[in-house]
Amino acid sequence: MNRNKMVSRITIASLLTLSLALAGPAFAGSCGGSKPDLVTTAAEADDFNTLVAAVKAAGLVEALQGDGPFTVFAPSDDAFAKLPAGTVETLLKPENKDQLVPILTYHVVSGDIRSYDVKPGHVTTLQGSEATISKKSNGLMIDQATIVATDIVTSNGVIDVIDQVIMPQSLRAAAAADGDKMVAHAAD
């Protein structure tokens, strides 16, 4: 074999080896086994401490670690900080779990909805009410919240980060009728 052919084969073999070495992590990530679930992803992100605490207080960890897929419109810690003083602390109390669960499940939709698949309209949340998805000049919105980050892919769904806590009108109306102004205006 002449020298040029041997150098050419070695070069091709080296390039193939390098390509496989660089592509290996990409192929591993696309196999689905290496990504954490929704709850673990949120806990590791360090911008969802309040949401993770609320999910734990509501007893929803196991459900959100299930097969899914789910799309979670996840309020950031900054979104929770916009609520009236004392709201989060009140909702996290065990005796208020019946108020917390419907608020959290209103942030979850069955299915894997990516930003590029979003069409304006209504989506049914796991809470049972419909939320409105719209496209505005400043981006995508769900109800009155702006979606500030999209398509954080997990093993059992996707997380879209929102800038406000959202709540179905029925819960706000019921809370207002009961005189619970803190919960009634939590999503204003």
Side-chain angles (χ1 to χ4, degrees), residues 10-141:
I10 291 172
T11 302
I12 291 171
S14 297
L15 287 174
L16 284 173
T17 302
L18 179 61
S19 296
L20 288 173
L22 293 174
F27 286 124
S30 67
C31 294
S34 64
K35 293 188 182 305
D37 61 69
L38 290 160
V39 177
T40 304
T41 300
E44 291 175 352
D46 200 39
D47 194 31
F48 302 110
N49 296 317
T50 307
L51 178 62
V52 171
V55 166
K56 289 177 181 178
L60 295 173
V61 171
E62 190 173 307
L64 291 174
Q65 289 179 323
D67 290 338
F70 303 108
T71 298
V72 176
F73 296 97
S76 64
D77 288 338
D78 289 341
F80 278 103
K82 293 177 184 178
L83 296 174
T87 302
V88 173
E89 294 78 9
T90 299
L91 288 171
L92 293 180
K93 292 179 180 178
E95 62 268 21
N96 294 323
K97 183 177 176 179
D98 61 330
Q99 291 179 31
L100 183 60
V101 169
I103 292 170
L104 292 176
T105 55
Y106 187 69
H107 289 80
V108 183
V109 175
S110 183
D112 184 336
I113 303 171
R114 303 295 174 98
S115 60
Y116 50 81
D117 290 330
V118 170
K119 294 176 180 49
H122 299 283
V123 291
T124 302
T125 67
L126 291 187
Q127 181 269 339
S129 298
E130 288 188 339
T132 302
I133 294 185
S134 57
K135 290 186 179 182
K136 305 283 183 183
S137 60
N138 59 339
L140 293 171
M141 297 187 74

